[in-house]
Structure formats: C-alpha cells, structure tokens
Amino acid sequence: MRTSVATVCLSGGLVEKLHACASAGFDGVEIMDADLVGAYESPEEIRTLCERLGLTIDMFQPFRDVEGVDEQTFTDNLRRADAKFDVMERLGTDLMLLCSNAGTATIDDDDLAAEQLGRLADLAAARGIRIAYEALAWGRYVDDYRRAWRIVEKADRPNLGVCLDSFHILSRGHDPAAIETIPGEKIFFLQLADAPALDMDVLQWSRHHRLFPGEGDFDLTGFLGHVLRAGYTGPLSLEVFNDTFRQTAVFRTAAHARRSLTWLADRTEDAGRAPHAERLIAPQHAHGIDFVEVSGDDLHDLDQLLDRLGFAFRGRHRSKPVRLWTAGSARIILNEQLRLESPRLTAFGLIVDDAAAASERAAALGADPVYRRTYRGEVELRAVASPDGTEVYWNDDDPDASWVPEFEGGDTDAAFHGDVDHINVSYAWQDFDEAVLFMRSVVALDAEPVAEVPGPRGLVRSQVMRSPDRVVRLPMNLAPPTAPVPHRHVAVRVDDVVAVARAAREKGLDFLPVPDNYYDDLQARFALDAALLETLQGLDLLYDRDEHGEFIHFYTPTFGGVFLELVERRGEYDGYGAPNAPVRLSAQRQVSTWTDAKGPGAEGSSS
C-alpha cells in the first residue's frame, strides 16, 4: 500500500511539512500550490529535499476554473496552465489536479467542457504531464463525479483521467457504486477525507470540518472498496482541510494522519476489498476494566473520599508510592510517583484475551509505548500513550492473581460490590479528533453518534466510545475552545446507590449539591412517587428514565481535575443520564466559585 498526503493537511512551512511526512512514514506527498508559492526554496530545492527524504511528489494541486468559459478566457487559462507546467517540470512531478470550474464557468455544456479539457490535455501531453479532473462538490455545473467521468470520456485523451475525492462524493450523498464502472487506469488519483454528519453549506463544511479517516461519519471502507474494485492501483492520499490540524504540531499531526490510513486499509481488507493492504493483527476487544489510575502530588483527600464511599483499602505497592482501593471489580489506583500538582485521571487498564497482540497492533498503528520501572517479581503490563498522554494498559490475566498482590497491608472488605460503569475522559479542542481515532484504531472501541450537552460555558460535545459488548464505555467530552478542559471522572456501578449514598453520608461525605429547582422539574417530567422524590432530594441524587429502565446517580466533590460518580442502572437503561449533565456542569462551576471565594484549603479543593 502506497500512502500520500496533501501538504495542506499540516501546519507550518513546506520544508517542515515534508520532514514531518517522511518521519510519519508516508511514501509521497501532494504539493499544494499555495505552500510552494509561500516557500523560499526553489522547486528544484523542494524536489531534491523530497528525494533525500524518500518522498515522491505524487501530484501538484490545484489548478482551477478552466472549462465552461468563453474562448478568450480559455486562451488565458491555457497560458496560466503552461506556466504551472513549467513549475511541475522543475518539481519533477507529472500529475496535476484540475478542479471543476466553481468560479468563472458561464456555459453549461458537456461537449464544450470536453473540448476544452482535451485542448488542455494536449498542451500537457507535450510536457509529459497528466491531468486528473475532479468534480468539486460546489462546482458551478460539474459537481458529480459521474458527470466528470462522462466529460473525460468525451475528451478521450490518454493523459486525461479523473481524481476521486471521498468528501466531494459522500458529502453530496452521491452513490459511490458507479465508481466501479470507471476503468481503473482512468482513475489517476484518489483523495480521502472523513467528516462529521453536518447540515451546512458544503463549501464551509469542506474548508473547516474534514477529518482523517476513522474520525467522522463517512463510510470510507465502502467507498475505498468501490475504488479498489474498479482497478485503482495508485496511492491512498489524504486531503483534509481542517482548522485544528493546520494549527497543531506538524510531526504529531502527520503521524496521526498516517495512522488513519493504516487503520482504513486494514478495515477495507477485512471487508475483502484491499488485497494489497498491509495487514494488522486483529483487534483485541476489551471485555473488562482492569483499573483506573489517578495521579497527583498529594492524594490523601482522595483516600478519604474512597474510604467514606465504602471502598476497601487494599494496601500500598511494595516498591512504589502507589495505593490501591477496590470495591468488587472496581479498582482505583492512586499514584503519587508522577508528582503532578493537581490530581487527574492519567491511565486506565483493559482486560483482553491477548495483551501481547494488543500491544503489537498498537505499535503497528504508531502508538508510543509506555515504560514504567518494574522490579523482579512484579507484573509488567503492556501500555501505550494516547495523544494527550493518557496511558492505556492491557492485561490478559486475572488482576487478583497477577498485579493486585503487589499491594500490601490492606484488606478486601468493601462496603459494596461495584464495577466500573464508564470512564469519562475530556480533551482540549486540538486533541479530540485524534483521540477518537486513537480509541477506535488502537483500543478497538466503536463510536456512538455525537451528542451536544449545554453547559454554563457553551455546548459540550460528547462522543461515547465503547466495546462491542458495551462492557467498556468511554464517554469523551470536548468543551468549547475558550472554556477549560472538562474534569474527568470514574463512574462506578452498584446494585443499590441509595444505600451507598446513605452510608457515605453517615461517614460525613457531602456530594455535589443539586439545586431544589432540579427536583421541581424532575417531578413535573416524571410524576415520581413522593417518597422517592424525597429520598432523591435528601441525598442529592439525580434521576433519569426512559422506555428501557431507570438511572439513579450522584457525584462526589471534585479534587483537582477528577471526581467520582456512583450509578445504579435499573432494567435495561443504557444511557448516562444526559438530561442531568447540564445540572452537573452548572453545579460544579458554582461550587468552584464558592471554593475560590473561600480561598486555598476549602473543602473539595478546586473543582
């Protein structure tokens, strides 16, 4: 599988972009005209650099607004094209991307378009240059790849073919099946981009919201299958216009982009459509949460919190400043060796069938391995770092028989049996899309549809990643760019959350306070039994219900950037209490305001 990427996908200058592409393992690049125009290096110097880096220049792009014009305008277009052919010869590339006319076309006539493209192709042929014609989704007259192909057929030049772009085809809702009617040798180039399902102007959608494969809602596996069955043998190339990627670190974004193509090619081969793709080890689907880890410089407040909730203190690690608390299969590690100033959720472990296979697949996808010092007799768990540094561990053994005995001096008697229901993680705006791809490709979780939750500082975007059996659930939150990154939390599922709440209250634990207005609204929505409503309000419990069951939960105070949630699912309720999220976000912000007003040392730390 040959891979390529358009330089427009990345931040920085052209030379820096080329170094990043080579470092990420791409075979080639599409040189964006604007990147070359803004570079101080000559086309010859760029050509030499690519040769030294082992990169082919697969295409020069874009050339615009050629066909469907009057003769005088077209004559000037040929002059423009001839000048760009000079540049291409200096670069050492023989393929130009020609976009369908979106600005100057005045004549809607396929015969004229074919005649003009044929004349352009003849001019290019004298230079040994090929033209790949692409139907822009916002083209003035040609906005459908099927029409673009008909025009290319009419023109009938050996050096004139089509460029297929997944965004331009799928954003318009065009059926990609007809791609298989195009001869493979006439598909000169393939550009790939994913995107979220949005209802907006297609040009703005394209310019600002394209994503790398695996991060959006397009069926790129099916799309790529059609292209390959048509006989296409060229590179798989990425063309992603995205405000985030053009601002983030170029080497990291290039590696992120390369991972997306590896994942897509592997999925396409799984569907029997890409026999030339490099194979990955089959994904290891997690069937349990091994542990969740919170790190910080001083975590004694969290020790007290877990004790009041009813967790059992299982002891201190025999060789590290790390403590373990458990309740059933819910295992929470408090790690003070990282010496973080503020507590935060830094790692979680997954139980899989083959940890070595999970680690090998992660390495093939470019994930960075994590090293932690272990001593003789201690279990060394395999791990990688996610884009923001959160560590993901794999274990294929029983935790109570493998690493848990390394903790000494505690007991096993928790006040209740619990399981980790979900781990709610949050990301800064520049990390979110990359994290979605990481969790989908490396951790082998499936993505549920995106939801938006109103908060006191704007809409919070939420996307749940989960294992196929829904045992592992990972809600991922993204706050507005100007808002702080949302706190992370661990949700522990229990059989009787009211009993757990009462016992914790008796031990002196205060929960996140819920306003009385919430309970007035709750009664209006659900007409709850008076006794149940009184219980909920008295304990600061939140409630939700749907046609499948009920959900009762409460939140602890926030410590640094982390808090806990205790939940009870009744019946077949499968959600996360989404209607209650705005109340929680508002309450946490209010408590933070109170705490800041009290000054350092106030209860609950900085929530």
Side-chain angles (χ1 to χ4, degrees):
M1 177 186 73
R2 290 193 65 252
T3 60
S4 186
V5 59
T7 56
V8 72
C9 298
L10 306 171
S11 65
L14 182 54
V15 169
E16 187 180 15
K17 295 182 183 195
L18 295 175
H19 278 281
C21 292
S23 175
F26 282 99
D27 301 302
V29 292
E30 304 173 41
I31 298 289
M32 187 77 172
D33 191 17
D35 285 330
L36 183 63
V37 169
Y40 288 99
E41 296 75 18
S42 68
E44 290 83 0
E45 289 174 312
I46 295 299
R47 175 180 183 171
T48 301
L49 175 60
C50 287
E51 290 172 351
R52 181 164 61 82
L53 293 173
L55 294 171
T56 57
I57 301 179
D58 295 325
M59 189 163 67
F60 179 72
Q61 66 115 331
F63 195 64
R64 302 182 185 275
D65 297 337
V66 169
E67 83 289 3
V69 296
D70 61 74
E71 183 60 27
Q72 182 177 348
T73 302
F74 183 69
T75 299
D76 189 57
N77 290 342
L78 291 180
R79 179 197 59 78
R80 290 193 298 116
D82 204 38
K84 292 302 179 182
F85 294 158
D86 287 339
V87 173
M88 292 176 64
E89 286 184 335
R90 296 171 66 191
L91 279 172
T93 185
D94 71 343
L95 183 62
M96 171 187 274
L97 175 66
L98 172 65
C99 300
S100 63
N101 197 325
T104 64
T106 57
I107 307 168
D108 185 9
D109 185 330
D110 284 3
D111 290 332
L112 176 65
E115 187 267 333
Q116 291 180 338
L117 291 190
R119 290 165 62 186
L120 176 66
D122 291 341
L123 183 65
R127 305 284 202 104
I129 289 173
R130 299 174 299 139
I131 305 293
Y133 183 51
E134 174 186 61
L136 294 180
W138 53 91
R140 179 73 177 273
Y141 299 122
V142 180
D143 60 8
D144 187 326
Y145 77 97
R146 292 163 293 194
R147 186 173 183 185
W149 167 236
R150 289 196 299 270
I151 293 172
V152 167
E153 276 192 300
K154 282 178 179 289
D156 192 21
R157 300 297 198 278
N159 66 325
L160 178 64
V162 295
C163 174
L164 299 176
D165 184 306
S166 62
F167 181 86
H168 293 303
I169 295 171
L170 299 178
S171 66
R172 300 281 299 184
H174 295 152
D175 185 353
I179 290 172
E180 297 185 38
T181 67
I182 305 174
E185 66 273 12
K186 298 299 285 185
I187 303 175
F188 282 4
F189 209 71
L190 171 67
Q191 294 176 321
L192 296 163
D194 208 337
L198 299 174
D199 184 12
M200 65 182 300
D201 173 74
V202 70
L203 177 57
Q204 297 305 312
W205 188 10
S206 171
R207 293 273 173 86
H208 303 287
H209 299 286
R210 293 200 202 191
L211 298 170
F212 292 126
E215 298 173 344
D217 298 308
F218 286 169
D219 178 15
L220 291 187
T221 301
F223 177 85
L224 180 55
H226 290 304
V227 177
L228 295 174
R229 282 195 293 272
Y232 176 73
T233 59
L236 307 186
S237 190
L238 296 168
E239 188 192 46
V240 173
F241 297 86
N242 182 295
D243 297 336
T244 297
F245 301 154
R246 285 184 282 188
Q247 297 181 60
T248 50
V250 62
F251 279 80
R252 173 173 160 180
T253 304
H256 166 198
R258 184 61 179 83
R259 175 183 297 142
S260 74
L261 281 184
T262 302
W263 172 84
L264 176 61
D266 185 64
R267 281 179 59 91
T268 306
E269 182 161 335
D270 283 342
R273 295 164 177 158
H276 69 299
E278 185 178 327
R279 294 301 290 138
L280 295 175
I281 289 178
Q284 289 291 307
H285 294 292
H287 49 77
I289 300 289
D290 196 17
F291 64 87
V292 180
E293 180 177 279
V294 177
S295 299
D297 184 45
D298 181 357
L299 301 177
H300 292 295
D301 285 344
L302 284 170
D303 284 308
Q304 185 180 63
L305 169 69
L306 292 167
D307 176 66
R308 289 177 173 178
L309 280 174
F311 278 75
F313 177 61
R314 296 295 292 271
R316 293 175 172 81
H317 194 272
R318 64 175 68 138
S319 64
K320 304 180 182 74
V322 178
R323 302 183 292 279
L324 173 64
W325 291 83
T326 67
S329 65
R331 291 173 282 270
I332 298 179
I333 292 174
L334 302 184
N335 181 356
E336 291 182 344
Q337 65 181 340
L338 296 185
R339 313 297 292 177
L340 299 178
E341 188 174 320
S342 179
R344 60 187 174 92
L345 196 157
T346 53
F348 60 88
L350 301 174
I351 299 174
V352 296
D353 291 330
D354 189 337
S359 179
E360 184 174 343
R361 176 182 170 87
L365 286 161
D368 294 328
V370 169
Y371 168 77
R372 282 194 179 181
R373 184 181 66 252
T374 56
Y375 295 96
R376 182 179 301 171
E378 296 177 355
V379 175
E380 183 176 355
L381 299 178
R382 301 171 188 269
V384 294
S386 67
D388 74 317
T390 302
E391 297 172 355
V392 180
Y393 289 77
W394 290 286
N395 185 15
D396 53 15
D397 199 356
D398 177 8
D400 288 321
S402 56
W403 61 267
V404 170
E406 296 174 13
F407 291 82
E408 301 169 344
D411 59 55
T412 61
D413 296 328
F416 59 89
H417 183 281
D419 303 287
V420 174
D421 184 84
H422 59 274
I423 305 169
N424 194 302
V425 293
S426 53
Y427 295 92
W429 62 271
Q430 68 269 23
D431 297 330
F432 186 82
D433 293 321
E434 187 178 2
V436 169
L437 175 63
F438 178 89
M439 294 303 173
R440 180 176 266 168
S441 61
V442 175
V443 188
L445 299 179
D446 298 326
E448 294 186 351
V450 173
E452 291 185 333
V453 177
R457 300 189 182 186
L459 288 177
V460 175
R461 178 181 172 191
S462 180
Q463 182 159 30
V464 176
M465 310 294 295
R466 58 173 178 76
S467 59
D469 60 5
R470 310 183 78 81
V471 171
V472 177
R473 304 165 184 250
L474 199 72
M476 299 172 58
N477 291 339
L478 170 67
T482 57
V485 176
H487 303 310
R488 295 181 167 193
H489 76 268
V490 184
V492 177
R493 184 174 63 254
V494 299
D495 293 330
D496 188 345
V497 73
V498 173
V500 172
R502 281 177 173 154
R505 275 284 176 84
E506 290 175 1
K507 287 188 173 184
L509 180 62
D510 291 326
F511 310 145
L512 182 71
V514 180
D516 290 339
N517 293 334
Y518 167 80
Y519 296 101
D520 293 339
D521 178 70
L522 200 64
Q523 179 64 10
R525 284 191 292 141
F526 295 118
L528 297 177
D529 175 80
L532 173 59
L533 185 65
E534 182 180 0
T535 298
L536 296 175
Q537 188 167 6
L539 293 171
D540 285 311
L541 302 180
L542 297 104
Y543 177 90
D544 190 33
R545 184 174 72 203
D546 61 18
E547 65 271 23
H548 304 294
E550 299 172 292
F551 188 67
I552 305 176
H553 57 134
F554 69 87
Y555 299 101
T556 72
T558 301
F559 296 88
V562 67
F563 60 96
L564 268 68
E565 178 186 9
L566 277 290
V567 310
E568 178 186 346
R569 296 181 181 274
R570 295 179 177 179
E572 299 299 319
Y573 184 94
D574 196 45
Y576 304 88
N580 299 328
V583 177
R584 188 258 296 175
L585 291 168
S586 179
Q588 286 177 325
R589 184 171 186 268
Q590 186 65 50
V591 170
S592 176
T593 302
W594 294 337
T595 302
D596 291 343
K598 293 177 183 177
E603 182 180 357
S605 186
S606 58
S607 61

